[in-house]
Amino acid sequence: MDDCLFCKIIEGTIPSTKVYEDDLVYAFRDIAPQAPVHVLLVPKKHIPGWADVRGESDELLAHLMRTAAVIADQEGLGNGYRIVSNCGDHACQSVHHLHLHILGGQQLTGQMA
Ligand code: DGP
């Protein structure tokens, strides 16, 4: 999609620090990390958010989740990590391209909101 920051990152028009890539997904380091490891994992296909996934393939969505675990292993997060995904205004989603935050590398707080 022309006007999407993460689509531009996936295309390489905007630079990023790549962590993982395959045919369906792309992962890169967050520009403003909230933990020692903070990776963003996105589908290559532009999907604005969780509110828009109903028509998407189970294969893609399962692959996205499974890849989060692969990346956590790759990043050495054996002591634990958090997967966060913001959807919509109340959750402060700022980039409207579906993404998972993978956070770890230190003890995280018990707070969810
Ligand atoms: P969210 O607020 O859940 O929509 O998360 C968007 C994340 O995207 C936020 O943690 C900061 C990150 N981000 C925004 N712009 C850029 C960028 O240009 N490069 C990278 N690597 N991350 C970005």
Side-chain angles (χ1 to χ4, degrees):
M1 192 197 177
D2 283 355
D3 206 21
C4 171
L5 175 68
F6 286 174
C7 284
K8 289 179 181 156
I9 285 178
I10 293 160
E11 289 161 14
T13 323
I14 292 177
S16 66
T17 305
K18 180 165 86 171
V19 167
Y20 178 93
E21 181 174 16
D22 63 29
D23 288 348
L24 295 176
V25 300
Y26 185 79
F28 54 102
R29 300 207 184 279
D30 195 290
I31 203 167
Q34 306 294 310
V37 174
H38 187 167
V39 172
L40 297 171
L41 171 61
V42 306
K44 287 186 170 174
K45 180 176 181 186
H46 181 81
I47 302 168
W50 287 106
D52 307 289
V53 301
R54 283 176 189 79
E56 301 300 334
S57 77
D58 290 351
E59 183 196 359
L60 173 59
L61 297 172
H63 184 71
L64 186 71
M65 296 307 298
R66 193 175 295 116
T67 305
V70 170
I71 291 168
D73 280 350
Q74 184 181 299
E75 292 289 315
L77 300 181
N79 285 335
Y81 55 93
R82 183 166 290 154
I83 298 171
V84 174
S85 192
N86 296 318
C87 180
D89 290 345
H90 275 191
C92 303
Q93 182 180 4
S94 61
V95 179
H96 294 274
H97 182 126
L98 185 67
H99 54 282
L100 304 181
H101 298 255
I102 302 165
L103 298 145
Q106 68 180 20
Q107 179 63 55
L108 303 172
T109 72
Q111 251 173 319
M112 291 292 287

